[in-house]
Amino acid sequence: MSSVLDVVLSSAFLAAALRIATPYLLAAFGGLVAERAGISNIALEGQMLSAACTGALVAGYSGSVALGALCGVAVATLLGVLLAVLRLELGADAIIAGIGLNLLASGGTAYAVYSLLDDKGGTSGLKSGSLPTITLPGVENVPVLGDVVSGQNMVTWLAFLAAPFVAWLFYRTRFGFHLRAVGEMPDAAASVGIAVRRVQYTGLALSGALAGLAGVFLSMGYVSFFVRDMTAGRGFIALAAVFLGGLRPWGVFIAALGFGAAEALAVQLGSLDVPPQLVSTIPYAMTLVALALYAWRRKRRGRAVPTAASL
């Protein structure tokens, strides 16, 4: 037990938790924006995976990390728009369409890597580079704090800035008011002149862009190469964080940070005398527990609301 506490209280664990939470935060905020627009973005996993693959390939062939990141985000944004087309124009079920895009991304990225590099595993043979890290002068020498925050990847900082940005977008901008109105009561929103479909298209495009940034971080920040199916369910865990956070920006922030800390704990415990099979289940077990708590909380809240029969 003391060894576990030493791991949890170490600066290395805190730094790893911030780094590992980055894709969860960005993807969760992407899912939150889509959910507020009234369409569940089940395709977060595929958008992250497509962005990770595209970013690594473009950066490797062009020699430009920035271009790779931009192209990765652009591809994920287009997948968000494609989900909107399938749902709004063709009337497809959002869940089924999202699952289809996830399968397309999984097979498409594997095919692209094999076609270009003749490698079924990933792009480890291609030098794609990494996104820059940010060193904070004056902070890097501060005990504990310097080890935790200084030297983090630039995308990690963007992920933590995403929380106040999304909160500002939802509650301080006209688009945010329209987005929440469309997600809650689309017919009422349309009756007062809000362009419902345009708002939903924009929301899903922004959702895809955030998920794309999460995917780019995986292949160009977390590591410096793409591996087949490297998202490993992070998109679904991020979607769980959306609901666990009560569809509120800061609630989603805390939930996603918790999932990141759970995965960081699993990584750190791998160096101790703990069965690896048990360690690898920690993030997924926490997801199941969190969803069970969410369902229990909703059930209790439903009981607390008085019905017409009880009045």
Side-chain angles (χ1 to χ4, degrees), residues 24-73:
Y24 291 116
L25 287 166
L26 290 167
F29 285 124
L32 175 61
V33 171
E35 200 67 37
R36 282 296 198 178
I39 301 176
S40 295
N41 188 359
I42 305 297
L44 289 173
E45 183 86 359
Q47 291 166 349
M48 293 170 66
L49 192 62
S50 299
C53 180
T54 302
L57 289 174
V58 172
Y61 279 104
S62 68
S64 172
V65 174
L67 180 61
L70 289 174
C71 289
V73 172

Side-chain angles (χ1 to χ4, degrees), residues 260-287:
E263 185 175 337
L265 179 62
V267 172
Q268 295 293 320
L269 289 180
S271 61
L272 301 179
D273 189 17
V274 180
Q277 296 85 355
L278 177 62
V279 169
S280 63
T281 63
I282 290 177
Y284 308 104
M286 182 177 175
T287 304

Side-chain angles (χ1 to χ4, degrees), residues 194-228:
I194 297 176
V196 173
R197 288 200 174 188
R198 185 174 65 187
V199 171
Q200 289 179 314
Y201 268 102
T202 305
L204 284 176
L206 178 57
S207 174
L210 288 167
L213 190 57
V216 164
F217 174 78
L218 288 176
S219 63
M220 302 173 66
Y222 194 66
V223 294
S224 58
F225 51 87
F226 172 78
V227 178
R228 182 175 180 178

Side-chain angles (χ1 to χ4, degrees), residues 67-214:
L67 180 61
L70 289 174
C71 289
V73 172
V75 166
T77 304
L78 289 176
L79 286 178
V81 174
L82 177 58
L83 178 62
V85 171
L86 293 173
R87 177 69 185 97
L88 301 176
E89 306 299 336
L90 302 180
D93 182 84
I95 306 297
I96 296 175
I99 292 173
L101 291 178
N102 288 334
L103 295 174
L104 175 65
S106 179
T109 53
Y111 176 76
V113 170
Y114 181 74
S115 298
L116 294 172
L117 303 176
D118 197 26
D119 189 339
K120 295 182 180 180
T123 65
S124 57
L126 186 67
K127 295 182 179 180
S128 57
S130 300
L131 292 164
T133 57
I134 298 178
T135 301
L136 302 177
V139 176
E140 58 180 334
N141 297 323
V142 178
V144 182
L145 181 63
D147 295 334
V148 173
V149 300
S150 186
Q152 292 284 358
N153 193 275
M154 61 172 293
V155 181
T156 298
W157 288 98
L158 292 176
F160 280 83
L161 290 174
F165 167 74
V166 173
W168 169 80
L169 181 72
F170 280 0
Y171 305 115
R172 292 291 184 269
T173 68
R174 184 175 183 179
F175 171 75
F177 286 118
H178 289 180
L179 185 75
R180 290 186 293 125
V182 166
E184 293 175 9
M185 294 184 178
D187 292 336
S191 68
V192 296
I194 297 176
V196 173
R197 288 200 174 188
R198 185 174 65 187
V199 171
Q200 289 179 314
Y201 268 102
T202 305
L204 284 176
L206 178 57
S207 174
L210 288 167
L213 190 57

